[in-house]
Amino acid sequence: MNSFIVKGNIVWAETNKELKSAEKGYLVIKDGLSEGVFDSIPEEYMDYELIDAGDNLVVPGLVDLHVHAPQFAFRGTNMDLELMDWLNTYTFPEESKFSDISYADNIYSYFTEAIKKSATTRVVAFSTLHVEGTMCLMDKLEKSGIISYVGKVNMDRNSPDELREESAEASSENTIRWLEECEKRGYRCVKPILTPRFVPSCTDELMEKLSVIRKEWRLPVQSHLSENTGEVAFVKELEPWSQFYGDAYDKFGLFGGEDGCIMAHCVLSGEDEIALMKKNGVFIAHCPESNENLKSGIAPVRKYMEEGLNVGLGSDIAGGTTESIFDAAVDAVKVSKLYWRYVDNSFEPLSFSDAFYLATKGGGAFFGKVGSFEKGYDGDVLILSDEAIPCPRYLSPVERLERFAYLHGDKTGIKGKWVKGERIL
Amino acid sequence: MNSFIVKGNIVWAETNKELKSAEKGYLVIKDGLSEGVFDSIPEEYMDYELIDAGDNLVVPGLVDLHVHAPQFAFRGTNMDLELMDWLNTYTFPEESKFSDISYADNIYSYFTEAIKKSATTRVVAFSTLHVEGTMCLMDKLEKSGIISYVGKVNMDRNSPDELREESAEASSENTIRWLEECEKRGYRCVKPILTPRFVPSCTDELMEKLSVIRKEWRLPVQSHLSENTGEVAFVKELEPWSQFYGDAYDKFGLFGGEDGCIMAHCVLSGEDEIALMKKNGVFIAHCPESNENLKSGIAPVRKYMEEGLNVGLGSDIAGGTTESIFDAAVDAVKVSKLYWRYVDNSFEPLSFSDAFYLATKGGGAFFGKVGSFEKGYDGDVLILSDEAIPCPRYLSPVERLERFAYLHGDKTGIKGKWVKGERIL
């Protein structure tokens, strides 16, 4: 079951330093897990099905650590405001529509289809605060074969009536109802993740209750952190006792921990916050396009990598416009160069190798052994055709992959996709 | 001849402030020129051929003010160096191959095909210093129907032997031979543009000779200006007499003038240089992606627009990776937000409207009345399908265009293309 060999021009990252590659190599998947990449087929796998990808590229699936599924309907529009105004003007009104299950069903179908067709094999998503809508998204993702975490959002302050739970108590009860429903449905691919939207949306009372739920249910948690100056100032005003933004999660046991924690953005994190993220094993979801679009700035990703923090990439639809994590990788490289130029030239810009590492193994670590072809890693595999990109001379597989990423090859070039050894495209 | 009507969702820019649109409108082209956009077909055009674009978008063709055709072969790779090192390591060796006419023929075929399939209807290109290769590129562009300027490059210093003309005299003679050959071929769509590569590549003696040629032949001129700190420092060292980089062109009558002048980049232009660009009517080719990739920085485009300078967009392949001027427009918006955040918040970031204006009418002005659907403008028209971009709710034509641009719709969505009323796709 789920054992096969893919022959092609294989590229993968084991570290961020240099991409590994094997021209006309053989990737062996056994029971859904990688056995490694070989120059020829080892004797013991001779009877496996051989999938010949021809001259195509073969790479690990990409990982999206941060995306808002309900914002899919307005991605690529409304690029004029900063975070807090953008939320109030466009995002909260849109998310409030997800009380209507038929609206939710429609948008989540589009979203899931887009993710399925993309290079993404793993996704960590926000839904909205609505339990039924969240179940709808989870059902669709489960069916797609993408392995994912989905969070019903908690919000009990600073948003319009239509998009606010009536109390901390109600939010907590909704959350438990959602978790029980998840358990009942016995999902194989999709799991719940606790999702206080961000500090401005959650009272301390709610945070306290989520803390209890987290411990009882052993849940990972996701939220937003230090994204935009206006937001950071608002957090300071709301939680004057907090030493820094992350402290307002940490106090409630929602900042790291062995069940996993993702904080999106971290554009403005100070030294104390960085130290605590490191200590607590927080995963940073770097969302470079969103941080440009909402005028937030550029996260110091090289610094985070050098300090040994966990970093992956996020599309952050609809702050970001595209579900493409290839685009996110390229954007990460580009903005790191501007960071180097304008903010701090003591940190080298990211290379494509750095960015592809973040897009695969970096974010994949949140899911376990995911995002590489080293032995024992989950069999998340993509076959990529770059035939739509004219190539008038020889390029190595690594050069072809870089070019594929920069030139949006994933718009037309995804020819095969496996998640943990299951073919879904 | 070349009179027809296109019905569709029409969007165009008359100013940068707000895009105009007509849902299910009629664009009338008479003898290759726009008669304007109408809600219904005026009586006098009733017998024109009606092209029904259905629910598709109809917009003016885009203008690429700066691209290096011979660098097409390595676009999307080698993104690790700054300008001067990048030129010496990757670019000059590649361009030296264009002494081989069969190599040139091959790469220029790919380049021309890519431009033809793109949203670009007008292009201003560098070739290399080779006369035969340049004629090859010009022949291909002529045949494509794209209206273009192409420049044989002048270089007589600071490059390897294989990519340097042996003297100012030789460079001048080559240029005249090229111009005579252009005249002989009697092109309809493609014209020559004088192209001193940039100050580091051209001795004063060569500049002097080009100055004479320019006057005699009444030629437009293109070059590079104030792109990267290392380059600017080198220019200062080479031409200590110059007040600023642009002054080293101006002294030789190669900075502006009534025959037209494009300077690419202008990331680091100071007040004197800006004032002179304004006075001399220099066109600035803003190349946001290239300026990120080569770590040059961000040009202060809002400032240039507010001061009333001529600004358009350039792909700058292979500093930029893509021929897509839609991508350049989106990049212009994105980097302007980072400029606002990190460099100077007294200049508002660009809106999509600003960027689409630059991509069409802004750059189009270099060609005359180009880049709009106002009466009398050349009939450069695109039909764009966004059906590949899932759209779960109503969007206005302007929103659809923004989304098309952000989500790389031009990779698959160009369904019709006319240049001055001639259909080429």
Side-chain angles (χ1 to χ4, degrees):
Chain A
M1 271 299 289
N2 297 331
S3 297
F4 55 92
I5 295 168
V6 186
K7 182 185 180 189
N9 297 308
I10 305 171
V11 184
W12 71 104
E14 297 187 1
T15 72
N16 63 310
K17 300 290 179 205
E18 195 183 5
L19 298 182
K20 295 255 187 182
S21 68
E23 216 158 343
K24 308 287 175 197
Y26 298 85
L27 167 67
V28 177
I29 304 294
K30 179 181 175 186
D31 299 331
L33 303 182
S34 174
E35 290 285 292
V37 177
F38 305 90
D39 291 336
S40 58
I41 305 175
E43 190 59 35
E44 60 197 294
Y45 311 119
M46 276 299 180
D47 58 338
Y48 283 20
E49 181 196 0
L50 177 67
I51 295 156
D52 190 344
D55 193 41
N56 287 332
L57 298 167
V58 178
V59 303
L62 308 192
V63 178
D64 188 345
L65 282 189
H66 185 67
V67 60
H68 293 266
Q71 297 173 22
F72 189 76
F74 72 95
R75 72 198 180 121
T77 60
N78 304 328
M79 292 289 156
D80 55 330
L81 300 175
E82 277 194 79
L83 177 65
M84 298 308 293
D85 290 337
W86 177 82
L87 286 170
N88 289 315
T89 308
Y90 304 119
T91 309
F92 289 162
E94 175 68 18
E95 287 196 14
S96 73
K97 296 180 192 166
F98 285 71
S99 60
D100 173 354
I101 191 69
S102 73
Y103 189 83
D105 189 277
N106 186 36
I107 305 299
Y108 287 149
S109 293
Y110 279 103
F111 170 78
T112 306
E113 193 59 21
I115 297 294
K116 188 171 174 180
K117 285 183 182 163
S118 79
T120 301
T121 52
R122 310 272 170 152
V123 66
V124 186
F126 281 52
S127 65
T128 61
L129 56 75
H130 309 94
V131 174
E132 283 66 33
T134 304
M135 298 317 301
C136 170
L137 173 60
M138 293 178 87
D139 287 350
K140 288 179 194 298
L141 280 169
E142 173 73 10
K143 205 170 154 200
S144 75
I146 302 287
I147 295 181
S148 64
Y149 287 95
V150 170
K152 173 217 141 1
V153 175
N154 297 99
M155 311 171 66
D156 73 338
R157 66 174 172 183
N158 296 316
S159 50
D161 290 351
E162 316 82 72
L163 194 73
R164 201 177 62 244
E165 292 166 299
E166 61 193 26
S167 64
E169 185 62 32
S171 181
S172 166
E173 284 171 7
N174 290 338
T175 303
I176 290 167
R177 183 159 65 86
W178 162 60
L179 293 168
E180 287 171 346
E181 189 60 36
C182 290
E183 227 173 33
K184 207 183 297 171
R185 299 201 188 184
Y187 294 126
R188 203 172 52 90
C189 296
V190 57
K191 291 180 185 162
I193 180 168
L194 204 62
T195 305
R197 183 175 205 118
F198 65 162
V199 170
S201 293
C202 301
T203 60
D204 287 4
E205 191 190 348
L206 174 53
M207 292 289 201
E208 190 63 55
K209 289 180 187 298
L210 295 180
S211 166
V212 174
I213 291 173
R214 185 181 195 202
K215 276 189 214 119
E216 190 179 327
W217 290 76
R218 303 296 311 268
L219 291 171
V221 61
Q222 65 178 344
S223 196
H224 297 92
L225 185 71
S226 299
E227 177 177 358
N228 189 285
T229 50
E231 169 216 25
V232 171
F234 192 32
V235 168
K236 192 71 214 165
E237 184 187 319
L238 289 165
E239 309 292 348
W241 55 267
S242 63
Q243 301 296 306
F244 46 86
Y245 193 157
D247 189 34
Y249 296 114
D250 188 56
K251 184 183 174 188
F252 303 102
L254 299 170
F255 199 66
E258 60 187 23
D259 295 312
C261 171
I262 297 170
M263 288 287 154
H265 306 303
C266 307
V267 173
L268 301 166
S269 297
E271 294 304 328
D272 290 350
E273 189 161 277
I274 293 169
L276 192 59
M277 284 196 282
K278 183 172 180 177
K279 178 169 164 241
N280 288 6
V282 168
F283 274 76
I284 294 168
H286 176 43
C287 306
E289 195 209 355
S290 172
N291 296 337
E292 285 190 282
N293 289 336
L294 300 180
K295 303 180 209 165
S296 300
I298 305 169
V301 172
R302 171 67 71 198
K303 179 175 181 171
Y304 296 151
M305 291 171 80
E306 283 183 1
E307 298 217 9
L309 276 74
N310 299 309
V311 188
L313 299 178
S315 66
D316 195 28
I317 288 171
T321 61
T322 167
E323 71 280 4
S324 168
I325 297 298
F326 274 119
D327 281 4
V330 166
D331 286 338
V333 173
K334 288 180 177 173
V335 300
S336 77
K337 291 175 176 176
L338 295 175
Y339 187 86
W340 173 85
R341 169 64 66 200
Y342 290 120
V343 187
D344 187 345
N345 67 7
S346 67
F347 293 103
E348 276 299 297
L350 302 193
S351 64
F352 179 69
S353 165
D354 289 314
F356 190 70
Y357 171 83
L358 295 180
T360 53
K361 197 174 172 181
F366 186 75
F367 288 84
K369 291 181 108 171
V370 169
S372 180
F373 289 151
E374 292 155 78
K375 188 173 163 63
Y377 272 68
D378 283 1
D380 287 21
V381 187
L382 302 172
I383 294 178
L384 307 177
S385 163
D386 57 0
E387 68 183 357
I389 305 169
C391 182
R393 65 172 195 182
Y394 172 79
L395 294 173
S396 72
V398 170
E399 288 174 313
R400 284 173 59 191
L401 180 63
E402 183 175 14
R403 187 179 169 102
F404 182 92
Y406 271 89
L407 293 169
H408 316 298
D410 55 343
K411 289 278 151 201
T412 55
I414 298 172
K415 301 301 180 189
K417 177 168 169 178
W418 289 258
V419 183
K420 210 171 184 174
E422 302 260 3
R423 186 160 198 165
I424 70 167
L425 264 189
Chain B
M1 273 301 289
N2 297 331
S3 297
F4 55 92
I5 295 169
V6 186
K7 182 185 180 190
N9 297 307
I10 306 171
V11 185
W12 71 103
E14 296 187 1
T15 72
N16 64 309
K17 301 291 181 205
E18 195 184 5
L19 298 182
K20 296 255 186 183
S21 67
E23 219 160 341
K24 307 286 174 201
Y26 297 85
L27 167 68
V28 178
I29 304 294
K30 180 181 175 185
D31 299 331
L33 303 182
S34 174
E35 289 286 292
V37 177
F38 304 90
D39 292 337
S40 58
I41 305 176
E43 190 60 33
E44 59 197 295
Y45 311 119
M46 275 299 179
D47 58 338
Y48 283 22
E49 181 196 2
L50 178 66
I51 295 155
D52 189 345
D55 193 40
N56 287 331
L57 298 167
V58 178
V59 303
L62 308 191
V63 178
D64 187 345
L65 282 189
H66 185 67
V67 60
H68 293 266
Q71 297 173 21
F72 189 77
F74 72 95
R75 71 196 180 124
T77 59
N78 304 328
M79 292 290 154
D80 54 331
L81 299 176
E82 278 194 79
L83 177 65
M84 298 308 294
D85 290 337
W86 177 84
L87 286 170
N88 289 315
T89 308
Y90 304 120
T91 309
F92 290 161
E94 176 67 18
E95 287 196 13
S96 72
K97 296 180 193 165
F98 285 70
S99 59
D100 174 353
I101 191 68
S102 74
Y103 189 83
D105 189 279
N106 186 36
I107 305 300
Y108 287 149
S109 293
Y110 279 103
F111 170 77
T112 306
E113 193 59 23
I115 297 294
K116 187 171 175 179
K117 286 184 181 161
S118 79
T120 300
T121 52
R122 309 272 170 152
V123 66
V124 186
F126 281 53
S127 65
T128 61
L129 57 77
H130 309 93
V131 175
E132 283 65 32
T134 303
M135 297 318 301
C136 170
L137 173 60
M138 293 179 87
D139 287 350
K140 288 179 193 299
L141 280 169
E142 172 74 9
K143 204 171 156 199
S144 76
I146 302 288
I147 294 182
S148 63
Y149 288 95
V150 170
K152 172 216 142 0
V153 175
N154 297 98
M155 312 171 66
D156 73 338
R157 67 173 170 183
N158 296 315
S159 50
D161 290 349
E162 317 82 73
L163 194 72
R164 200 178 62 245
E165 292 166 299
E166 61 194 26
S167 64
E169 185 62 33
S171 182
S172 166
E173 284 171 8
N174 290 338
T175 303
I176 290 167
R177 184 159 66 86
W178 162 59
L179 292 168
E180 287 171 347
E181 188 62 36
C182 290
E183 227 172 33
K184 206 182 302 172
R185 298 200 188 184
Y187 294 126
R188 204 173 52 91
C189 296
V190 57
K191 291 180 186 163
I193 181 168
L194 204 60
T195 306
R197 183 174 204 116
F198 65 162
V199 171
S201 294
C202 302
T203 59
D204 287 3
E205 191 191 346
L206 174 54
M207 292 290 200
E208 189 63 56
K209 288 180 187 299
L210 295 179
S211 166
V212 174
I213 292 173
R214 187 181 194 202
K215 276 188 216 123
E216 189 180 326
W217 291 76
R218 303 296 310 267
L219 291 171
V221 61
Q222 64 178 343
S223 197
H224 298 91
L225 185 70
S226 299
E227 176 178 358
N228 189 285
T229 50
E231 171 216 24
V232 171
F234 192 30
V235 168
K236 192 72 213 164
E237 186 187 317
L238 289 166
E239 309 293 348
W241 56 266
S242 64
Q243 301 296 306
F244 45 87
Y245 192 157
D247 188 33
Y249 296 114
D250 189 54
K251 184 182 173 188
F252 304 101
L254 299 170
F255 200 64
E258 61 187 23
D259 295 312
C261 172
I262 297 171
M263 288 286 152
H265 306 303
C266 307
V267 173
L268 301 166
S269 298
E271 293 305 329
D272 290 348
E273 188 161 279
I274 293 170
L276 192 60
M277 285 196 281
K278 184 171 179 177
K279 178 170 166 240
N280 289 5
V282 168
F283 274 75
I284 294 168
H286 176 43
C287 307
E289 195 209 354
S290 172
N291 296 337
E292 286 190 281
N293 289 337
L294 299 180
K295 303 180 209 166
S296 301
I298 304 169
V301 172
R302 171 66 72 197
K303 179 175 181 170
Y304 296 152
M305 292 170 79
E306 283 183 2
E307 298 217 10
L309 276 75
N310 299 310
V311 188
L313 299 178
S315 65
D316 194 28
I317 288 171
T321 62
T322 168
E323 70 280 5
S324 169
I325 296 297
F326 274 118
D327 282 4
V330 166
D331 287 338
V333 173
K334 287 180 177 174
V335 300
S336 77
K337 292 174 175 177
L338 295 175
Y339 187 86
W340 173 86
R341 170 64 67 201
Y342 289 120
V343 187
D344 188 345
N345 68 6
S346 68
F347 294 102
E348 277 298 298
L350 302 194
S351 64
F352 179 68
S353 165
D354 289 314
F356 190 70
Y357 171 83
L358 295 180
T360 53
K361 198 174 171 182
F366 186 75
F367 288 85
K369 291 181 108 172
V370 169
S372 180
F373 289 151
E374 293 156 78
K375 188 172 163 62
Y377 272 68
D378 282 1
D380 287 22
V381 187
L382 303 172
I383 294 178
L384 307 177
S385 163
D386 58 359
E387 69 182 356
I389 305 169
C391 181
R393 65 172 193 181
Y394 171 78
L395 294 173
S396 72
V398 170
E399 288 174 313
R400 284 173 60 190
L401 180 63
E402 184 175 13
R403 187 178 168 103
F404 182 91
Y406 271 90
L407 293 170
H408 316 297
D410 55 342
K411 289 277 151 202
T412 56
I414 298 172
K415 301 301 179 190
K417 177 168 168 176
W418 288 258
V419 183
K420 210 171 184 173
E422 301 261 2
R423 186 159 199 167
I424 69 167
L425 264 189

